[in-house]
Amino acid sequence: MADRINYPKLSPQLYNTLYAMEKILAESALDHGLLHLIKTRASQLNGCLFCLDMHTKEARLDGERELRLHHLPLWHESNLFTDKEKAALEWTEKLTKIGPHGITDEDYAKILEHFSEKDLSDLTFAIGCINMWNRLGVAFRPAAGGLDAVLGLDKAGLA
């Protein structure tokens, strides 16, 4: 399916600001493997093929096990994820598909068992950022794999 519009060209300042946020998040103390998991899971939930394709390939290039990626949609049933990863994935789902009661005090207390306030803040920004990218991807449908050569994702061998 062809791209609908070239949003980076039409809104360069906004695009570059979102991209700059990604670069800052990549330099945060958050584990890169965890970031791959939350970006992939949010992209699954939001139905963004471009981002799902990209973050699956990035995860594989960074050493993520293929079976864990296959288990990701049912992470809560899998024993392949740590308690901290499960907490982050649950937080991702709650912030991606916000329910009628938002984030409860119980939800908040539960995530703080695994993350410092600073790391939770960074994690929440990361989830918000991937959700924004997903919305752009769903709205404008950039071609999955379209940036593989530029980003080196063709080396993942998942074509």
Side-chain angles (χ1 to χ4, degrees), residues 3-17:
D3 296 0
R4 291 180 173 174
I5 64 170
N6 186 340
Y7 59 91
K9 183 178 179 181
L10 294 168
S11 303
Q13 188 175 15
L14 293 168
Y15 176 84
N16 290 332
T17 299

Side-chain angles (χ1 to χ4, degrees), residues 3 7 23 28 41 49 51 75 78 87 91 93 103 142 149 151-152:
D3 296 0
Y7 59 91
K23 288 165 70 173
S28 76
R41 184 63 186 134
L49 180 59
C51 292
W75 61 265
S78 177
W91 192 248
E93 290 186 0
I103 301 298
L151 299 175

Side-chain angles (χ1 to χ4, degrees), residues 10-32:
L10 294 168
S11 303
Q13 188 175 15
L14 293 168
Y15 176 84
N16 290 332
T17 299
L18 191 57
Y19 186 73
M21 188 173 163
E22 279 291 342
K23 288 165 70 173
I24 293 167
L25 287 165
E27 295 171 3
S28 76
L30 293 173
D31 178 74
H32 286 166

Side-chain angles (χ1 to χ4, degrees), residues 33-86:
L34 182 67
L35 287 172
H36 292 313
L37 292 176
I38 63 122
K39 289 176 181 183
T40 302
R41 184 63 186 134
S43 299
Q44 290 171 338
L45 292 169
N46 287 321
C48 181
L49 180 59
F50 181 88
C51 292
L52 179 62
D53 180 83
M54 173 187 287
H55 297 301
T56 299
K57 290 172 182 172
E58 286 177 341
R60 290 291 293 136
L61 285 171
D62 282 348
E64 183 57 72
R65 293 183 1 229
E66 189 171 347
L67 186 58
R68 282 172 34 105
L69 293 172
H70 288 296
H71 280 217
L72 197 52
L74 296 170
W75 61 265
H76 56 281
E77 294 181 30
S78 177
N79 63 357
L80 298 181
F81 301 97
T82 67
D83 289 343
K84 184 175 184 173
E85 289 170 333
K86 287 183 175 187

